[in-house]
């Protein structure tokens, strides 16, 4: 799609883009491949519904701590492993899910976190 000269000079809001901060979300599982990617795909629908501008990625648990995202979303069964790492709760909020592909659970648990981070009104 080509953009005309007039489009280039419009503000973000005039172009339909959000001025809200982009949130960095990391989806984590044991190997960083299957379940974290499935969770990421489910969350994409939720974030789109909420109108959230986000950078999404998935990773294995041992690499996740060094990434320092705004939010980590992972399965409940990884909680004891994350408790062994030092994650700064002021920088990174960890969201634990019982069902990693449940859009309803993702929305219920991520909405207050997005409000806390200032990316959702």
């Amino acid at each position: 799609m080509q953009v005309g000269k007039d489009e280039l000079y419009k503000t973000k809001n005039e172009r339909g883009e959000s001025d809200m901060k982009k949130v960095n979300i990391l989806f984590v599982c044991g190997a960083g491949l299957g379940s974290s990617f499935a969770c990421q795909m489910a969350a994409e629908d939720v974030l789109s519904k909420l109108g959230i501008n986000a950078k999404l990625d998935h990773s294995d648990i041992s690499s996740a701590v060094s990434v320092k995202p705004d939010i980590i979303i992972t399965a409940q069964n990884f909680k004891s492993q994350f408790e062994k790492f030092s994650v700064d709760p002021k920088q990174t909020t960890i969201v634990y899910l019982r069902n990693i592909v449940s859009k309803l659970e993702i929305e219920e648990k991520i909405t207050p976190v997005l409000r806390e981070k200032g990316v959702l009104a």
Side-chain angles (χ1 to χ4, degrees):
M1 179 176 146
Q2 288 191 331
V3 178
K5 285 183 183 177
D6 292 341
E7 282 292 307
L8 294 174
Y9 298 104
K10 287 184 177 180
T11 65
K12 282 184 175 185
N13 283 337
E14 289 172 330
R15 290 191 307 260
E17 298 174 23
S18 174
D19 282 330
M20 295 188 100
K21 174 185 161 193
K22 189 176 216 175
V23 64
N24 186 358
I25 303 175
L26 185 65
F27 299 86
V28 178
C29 68
L33 299 170
S35 57
S36 59
F37 186 60
C39 184
Q40 178 179 333
M41 290 173 49
E44 283 174 350
D45 290 340
V46 172
L47 295 166
S48 178
K49 174 185 167 189
L50 296 173
I52 300 300
N53 187 12
K55 177 187 178 291
L56 308 178
D57 204 358
H58 53 277
S59 170
D60 63 280
I61 194 164
S62 59
S63 302
V65 181
S66 64
V67 177
K68 299 183 180 172
D70 299 311
I71 302 170
I72 291 175
I73 298 179
T74 190
Q76 184 71 39
N77 59 311
F78 289 114
K79 188 172 185 173
S80 63
Q81 288 175 274
F82 271 104
E83 288 172 346
K84 295 175 186 173
F85 296 116
S86 59
V87 177
D88 182 358
K90 292 177 184 171
Q91 180 180 2
T92 303
T93 302
I94 303 175
V95 175
Y96 297 101
L97 302 173
R98 276 178 266 153
N99 180 345
I100 61 167
V101 293
S102 168
K103 293 176 187 177
L104 180 62
E105 183 180 6
I106 291 168
E107 185 172 355
E108 285 175 355
K109 291 188 175 177
I110 201 167
T111 298
V113 175
L114 294 169
R115 285 193 177 115
E116 178 186 301
K117 300 274 183 191
V119 293
L120 184 64

